[in-house]
Amino acid sequence: MNTSTLEQGPIFVTCADGEKGMAIVQYLLNLPSQHKHLPRRPIYAGLADATTDRARALKQLGANVVAFDIFNEPTKAVQALQGMDKLCLLIDPLNDRMTRNNILSFSTSFIEAAKAAAVRHVIFLTPFSPLDDPLPWTNGKAADDLQDSNKHCLYRPSFHYQFKRMEQFLFQELDKSQVTVLRYPGILHQHLMVFRDYVAEHNAFPLLDFDYTVESCNISDIARATACIAHAPLRRHASCVYKITGPQLLTLEEVSERMFSGLQRDHAVNRMDLTTLRQILYDNLGNEDHVGFLLEMWQRKRRFEITRDLEALTGESGKLLNEFFDDDGIRDFFKKPSPSMA
């Protein structure tokens, strides 16, 4: 197969029925219409059930939906990836079928399948960075390495530990020239929508007793960067590691201020301990692993940074938090009960 053919080959996206996955598929499909020099690659959306509303929506967008249960039929991943040029390896802990006990097997099955199917390029998306302290909450003991820190983590196995294991396995199985790593920080603007019911009832933002600085970004920025990498020639991004951040570093109180400003409400916060906040999230999400993942992301101990990687990849800066909430659709969302996360 010649190079020109390879550069027009199909792209496969895992977890395509989640919010991030659907956004990535949509950007992959739309980017060639915005940049006429790009060929229209076939886009394949990997998911577990082809009968859902989201699967039907992906078909309507123009994606080829590929449904199989990788947990019970891992060999089907090899069949699904046969002939694929690129794999966008998205592992979404907020997917309904994903748990802290199966998320590692999901990723390793796809990595092994990509190797067996001779996929040329794997784009690995991860919310974690080497700058992160691997201990979201500890029992006070010091940890010398990743394995030890996971043992000391109060919620085991930690998602940080699992994603670092995934990354290690990826580079163990594939040459680094086949891999691009795309990191994104913990607080996604869309995640804050889980507080809709609380805000509606209390007209205040639930805030922990102690404040801290956070990195943030928008799902659309992640999807746009992924699509730009996937549509580009492999040589441009081979062996590269990028980190997508929004243009601001904010404390959580500043996050709440911008959120309420966009929603056109008077700003107020209710201070609380971690147990109370955890219960608020569980009442909203109804899934302990989803709650654990969000808390682990929001309470990282890290060195904070703002990168220019998004601008370098896409030519545009990231979306501001107040821009996200200053939207009629988001305001309407906060007027309705019972949100769902996926």
Side-chain angles (χ1 to χ4, degrees):
M1 187 178 290
N2 62 44
T3 303
S4 62
T5 302
L6 284 172
E7 296 298 356
Q8 300 179 38
I11 302 170
F12 191 99
V13 182
T14 62
C15 285
D17 53 348
E19 190 172 6
K20 286 192 288 292
M22 289 194 71
I24 289 170
V25 169
Q26 190 163 6
Y27 269 90
L28 286 168
L29 290 166
N30 292 343
L31 204 62
S33 64
Q34 300 169 19
H35 303 278
K36 301 302 182 183
H37 66 283
L38 293 177
R40 286 196 171 274
R41 296 170 178 256
I43 306 301
Y44 287 78
L47 41 77
D49 185 352
T51 66
T52 64
D53 290 342
R54 288 192 170 187
R56 286 189 285 269
L58 287 165
K59 290 179 184 177
Q60 291 175 355
L61 288 171
N64 302 287
V65 171
V66 182
F68 61 97
D69 184 350
I70 193 168
F71 296 119
N72 294 317
E73 301 171 297
T75 56
K76 287 195 173 181
V78 180
Q79 300 172 26
L81 295 183
Q82 289 291 342
M84 295 296 146
D85 184 36
K86 302 198 175 191
L87 168 64
C88 297
L89 183 54
L90 171 67
I91 302 100
D92 189 356
L94 296 177
N95 186 289
D96 288 338
R97 300 183 73 249
M98 213 73 76
T99 71
R100 68 172 68 244
N101 293 319
N102 66 21
I103 196 169
L104 185 58
S105 67
F106 176 92
S107 64
T108 55
S109 293
F110 266 110
I111 292 168
E112 290 171 341
K115 183 178 182 180
V119 175
R120 282 201 320 141
H121 186 195
V122 176
I123 303 163
F124 176 63
L125 290 93
T126 172
F128 294 97
S129 164
L131 296 179
D132 295 338
D133 182 335
L135 300 173
W137 303 286
T138 69
N139 56 16
K141 297 181 180 179
D144 296 325
D145 56 30
L146 185 62
Q147 182 76 34
D148 194 32
S149 66
N150 182 63
K151 292 177 183 177
H152 293 159
C153 183
L154 295 183
Y155 303 95
R156 300 194 300 267
S158 73
F159 286 100
H160 174 273
Y161 171 77
Q162 309 240 43
F163 270 89
K164 297 302 286 184
R165 285 282 306 277
M166 293 174 203
E167 193 169 333
Q168 290 170 351
F169 186 75
L170 179 64
F171 284 106
Q172 172 186 315
E173 293 297 304
L174 302 177
D175 188 87
K176 67 178 182 178
S177 64
Q178 297 176 261
V179 177
T180 302
V181 177
L182 184 63
R183 308 189 192 282
Y184 56 91
I187 291 190
L188 304 186
H189 300 165
Q190 287 79 359
H191 289 170
L192 294 169
M193 295 164 78
V194 300
F195 295 125
R196 175 173 63 176
D197 286 352
Y198 186 89
V199 169
E201 181 178 352
H202 301 278
N203 203 30
F205 186 87
L207 198 64
L208 288 172
D209 292 328
F210 51 93
D211 202 5
Y212 47 91
T213 302
V214 294
E215 296 164 334
S216 66
C217 67
N218 192 281
I219 283 179
S220 64
D221 295 335
I222 299 168
R224 188 156 43 96
T226 304
C228 287
I229 294 170
H231 276 292
L234 169 59
R235 63 182 180 276
R236 186 175 301 170
H237 302 294
S239 307
C240 291
V241 178
Y242 301 106
K243 182 176 179 181
I244 301 303
T245 66
Q248 296 173 313
L249 287 178
L250 301 171
T251 66
L252 279 180
E253 183 153 10
E254 289 171 335
V255 167
S256 68
E257 289 171 355
R258 282 159 175 75
M259 175 177 169
F260 274 63
S261 175
L263 296 175
Q264 298 180 346
R265 297 170 182 245
D266 292 333
H267 178 243
V269 299
N270 285 343
R271 296 279 179 176
M272 60 190 62
D273 58 21
L274 180 60
T275 300
T276 304
L277 179 60
R278 188 180 185 89
Q279 187 61 49
I280 289 170
L281 289 171
Y282 183 79
D283 290 343
N284 193 286
L285 296 170
N287 184 307
E288 282 286 357
D289 284 339
H290 292 181
V291 172
F293 173 71
L294 290 181
L295 288 176
E296 191 172 328
M297 294 310 307
W298 296 349
Q299 289 209 209
R300 305 306 307 165
K301 295 180 180 178
R302 68 175 87 199
R303 296 203 314 270
F304 303 102
E305 60 181 350
I306 295 176
T307 74
R308 302 298 298 272
D309 289 353
L310 181 63
E311 290 91 330
L313 289 168
T314 70
E316 300 176 32
S317 60
K319 193 167 189 174
L320 295 169
L321 181 61
N322 54 301
E323 292 174 338
F324 174 69
F325 281 102
D326 189 17
D327 179 276
D328 290 340
I330 301 300
R331 292 196 194 107
D332 289 344
F333 181 91
F334 270 80
K335 295 175 184 176
K336 300 172 184 177
S338 302
S340 61
M341 288 289 294

